[in-house]
Amino acid sequence: MPPCDFKPEEYKDLSTERMMEIRKRNCSPMTMKVTYYKSPVFLHQGYMQWLWGVNGQRYLDFFGGIATVSVGHCHPKVKAAAQRQMERLWHTTQIYVLSPIHEYCEKLAACFPDPLKVIYLTNSGSEANDLAMLMARLHTGNFDIITLRGSYHGGSPQSLGLTSNSDYKYPIAAGFGCHTTMCPDVFRGPWGGRHCRDSPVQAARDCSCAPGCCQANDMYIEQLKEVLKTSVPNQIAGFFAEPIQGLGGVVQYPKGFLKQAFHLIRERGGVCIADEVQTGFGRTGSDMWGFAAHDVIPDIVTLAKGIANGFPMGAVVTTPEVAHSFAKGLHFNTFGGNPVGCAIASAVLDTIEEDGTRQNCANVGTYLLTELAKLRDKFEIIGDIRGKGLQIGVEMVKNKGSREPLPAAEMNQIFEDCKDMGLLIGKGGVYGQTFRIKPPMCITKEDADFALSVFSHAIQSHMEKK
């Protein structure tokens, strides 16, 4: 494990036994369900890419609170900004004019191309996507919205309609007007090849496409056309897409798919919404926003997670035209634009530039991807390596020939072994078959080497036990 000069405080709070008592008695059953490990990880403190358990164990955090810790746990610059604002004013509302809100909105707007210059501040990604749905329907005068299968756009009653994963659905009437089209997954889907993705690593899958052509892309676009012809009216409200699917397993689409999809949606009167909750703020390395790599400009962009390095905050960025349509009613958010949140988010933007975070994502992310591809070539149960920057997916299979998902028990054992060796990663995919790597964007090549060593050892150990 790479060295770390930071010394955590001695833990003096609730015992682990007491926490488990409270958890069983007072926390929701869902809270118990989503505790990832057989033996829960009791955390105490964090600094940059590191986390410490209550007994002093140190972990390399390669999941970043689900892609939420952007510039590093308790980053000194961000922490200082939070402390300064907390000493001045914690909360009023946007009925008063406050400098932190205006300073942040000006900074954030400067990060977007024209005409994306109007900002609404929220408290989460689910809330941001709820608001984007409302905007799309009001602006177009239409109701129906299309998303990709396997997508995750939130857990609120409204945004659950956009989310396309059965694990997050409830047996109640919901999602009126929401439809799905086939996810253009060039590894697991019916079509794909070796040249489809905008990534240093391609799917190990043969294709016969001529240079500059992508038959897989054409076929997935045909699926969208089929949905437009059979499942929705002639005029629709919009289309939601993550530039790279997050919870769905870090799925990348064929180059050109989103550009063609946006064109088809706009022909039907709809607006195009990019859900940048996980891909935003430079995580993909090449650009500040994931949509830029697809050569598109959305009508609405939703943000959260890394926006404030873990402080609860979200945003919707849109055009003056869409904002004008939304002004038909009064929109108000008590906590949206909280001065502490805005001070933190402003410091995050400054830190991304000052620390060269985006370039670090590109450099370390590309190194990780290419080294993980070597492990894919070595181990039969690693089916695919994909991603861009520090948004990386490792899809596990029974064998490369069948591409059947690795069973949950085997996934869980590898997951546990990584944790026991000091590495925290995530899981995702429609079948729970993909390990997700989304660390704080400050990790180093030395950290990557440690993670690669741990992951390789966990896979090797698992293979030897089979």
Side-chain angles (χ1 to χ4, degrees):
M1 183 176 287
C4 175
D5 294 334
F6 181 82
K7 302 296 182 186
E9 300 171 2
E10 182 183 354
Y11 182 75
K12 296 180 180 179
D13 295 327
L14 291 174
S15 69
T16 57
E17 293 79 12
R18 179 71 174 136
M19 282 190 277
M20 290 306 294
E21 287 176 14
I22 296 170
R23 195 176 184 88
K24 291 175 181 177
R25 185 179 66 245
N26 302 121
C27 294
S28 69
M30 186 57 66
T31 302
M32 296 296 293
K33 184 178 179 181
V34 298
T35 300
Y36 258 24
Y37 298 97
K38 294 176 184 175
S39 300
V41 177
F42 296 91
L43 294 178
H44 162 45
Q45 196 165 355
Y47 180 76
M48 301 306 280
Q49 63 268 50
W50 302 104
L51 290 167
W52 282 267
V54 296
N55 294 322
Q57 313 97 314
R58 179 159 60 102
Y59 300 98
L60 178 59
D61 183 7
F62 256 45
F63 201 30
I66 315 180
T68 300
V69 178
S70 47
V71 295
H73 293 282
C74 300
H75 191 293
K77 296 174 187 175
V78 178
K79 183 170 71 172
Q83 290 172 333
R84 282 194 302 271
Q85 186 58 46
M86 290 182 75
E87 289 172 357
R88 295 172 183 164
L89 182 65
W90 287 20
H91 174 72
T92 58
T93 71
Q94 292 190 46
I95 63 174
Y96 305 107
V97 180
L98 297 169
S99 176
I101 300 173
H102 293 77
E103 178 186 347
Y104 179 64
C105 287
E106 183 178 49
K107 280 184 182 179
L108 184 60
C111 296
F112 281 90
D114 289 328
L116 293 165
K117 296 297 179 183
V118 182
I119 295 167
Y120 297 81
L121 297 175
T122 68
N123 304 292
S124 71
S126 294
E127 190 178 302
N129 283 328
D130 275 355
L131 187 56
M133 291 177 75
L134 179 58
M135 286 179 171
R137 285 168 169 164
L138 285 171
H139 179 66
T140 63
N142 303 320
F143 191 70
D144 293 82
I145 295 173
I146 298 172
T147 63
L148 298 173
R149 289 173 202 149
S151 63
Y152 182 84
H153 296 288
S156 63
Q158 186 88 330
S159 63
L160 268 176
L162 301 173
T163 292
S164 178
N165 187 310
S166 64
D167 286 345
Y168 296 87
K169 298 287 192 178
Y170 292 91
I172 59 171
F176 296 112
C178 294
H179 312 267
T180 64
T181 187
M182 183 181 288
C183 177
D185 182 345
V186 300
F187 173 73
R188 181 155 294 283
W191 308 288
R194 291 181 179 272
H195 310 289
C196 298
R197 299 192 295 224
D198 175 26
S199 173
V201 179
Q202 298 294 328
R205 188 173 178 180
D206 291 330
C207 69
S208 56
C209 298
C213 299
C214 182
Q215 295 175 1
N217 181 62
D218 295 343
M219 297 304 292
Y220 289 117
I221 286 294
E222 286 301 317
Q223 290 292 310
L224 175 57
K225 288 179 179 178
E226 185 78 6
V227 170
L228 289 168
K229 192 67 177 174
T230 62
S231 302
V232 296
N234 288 327
Q235 294 289 296
I236 64 173
F239 173 69
F240 269 79
E242 303 160 88
I244 299 174
Q245 275 196 353
L247 179 71
V250 194
V251 177
Q252 290 182 282
Y253 323 129
K255 289 173 281 190
F257 174 83
L258 276 191
K259 190 168 187 175
Q260 289 182 255
F262 276 26
H263 177 72
L264 291 171
I265 297 303
R266 285 168 173 155
E267 282 187 331
R268 293 294 193 104
V271 296
C272 299
I273 301 104
D275 181 336
E276 294 272 2
V277 169
Q278 293 198 31
T279 50
F281 299 95
R283 178 163 290 279
T284 60
S286 62
D287 302 283
M288 191 68 166
W289 314 113
F291 67 75
H294 295 274
D295 192 26
V296 297
I297 297 180
D299 303 292
I300 303 172
V301 180
T302 57
L303 309 170
K305 289 190 180 287
I307 190 172
N309 206 43
F311 191 89
M313 187 170 175
V316 176
V317 184
T318 190
T319 68
E321 185 182 7
V322 173
H324 179 74
S325 300
F326 189 58
K328 295 172 183 175
L330 178 63
H331 171 71
F332 182 74
N333 190 314
T334 300
F335 293 104
N338 172 275
V340 176
C342 287
I344 291 171
S346 185
V348 167
L349 287 180
D350 291 343
T351 301
I352 288 170
E353 290 304 312
E354 292 166 6
D355 289 7
T357 301
R358 194 166 65 188
Q359 189 60 50
N360 190 61
C361 284
N363 294 343
V364 179
T366 298
Y367 175 74
L368 255 175
L369 281 161
T370 53
E371 293 299 310
L372 283 166
K374 295 176 184 177
L375 296 184
R376 176 196 62 189
D377 297 341
K378 178 180 178 182
F379 295 111
E380 180 67 15
I381 62 171
I382 301 179
D384 194 31
I385 303 295
R386 54 182 176 258
K388 192 175 179 185
L390 289 176
Q391 182 154 355
I392 297 172
V394 180
E395 181 154 350
M396 308 298 291
V397 294
K398 287 183 178 179
N399 59 74
K400 289 181 170 70
S402 70
R403 287 181 286 160
E404 289 185 45
L406 192 69
E410 296 184 51
M411 287 288 295
N412 291 341
Q413 188 56 59
I414 296 167
F415 191 67
E416 292 280 343
D417 289 347
C418 286
K419 179 260 294 182
D420 291 342
M421 289 184 279
L423 177 68
L424 303 181
I425 55 177
K427 288 185 290 187
V430 173
Y431 307 100
Q433 80 283 17
T434 304
F435 290 121
R436 292 195 288 161
I437 295 173
K438 303 179 183 188
M441 298 187 293
C442 57
I443 66 162
T444 66
K445 182 175 176 292
E446 290 71 28
D447 299 329
D449 285 332
F450 171 71
L452 288 162
S453 176
V454 167
F455 190 64
S456 177
H457 185 81
I459 299 290
Q460 183 68 50
S461 176
H462 174 76
M463 296 293 288
E464 291 171 356
K465 292 175 184 175
K466 290 187 74 173

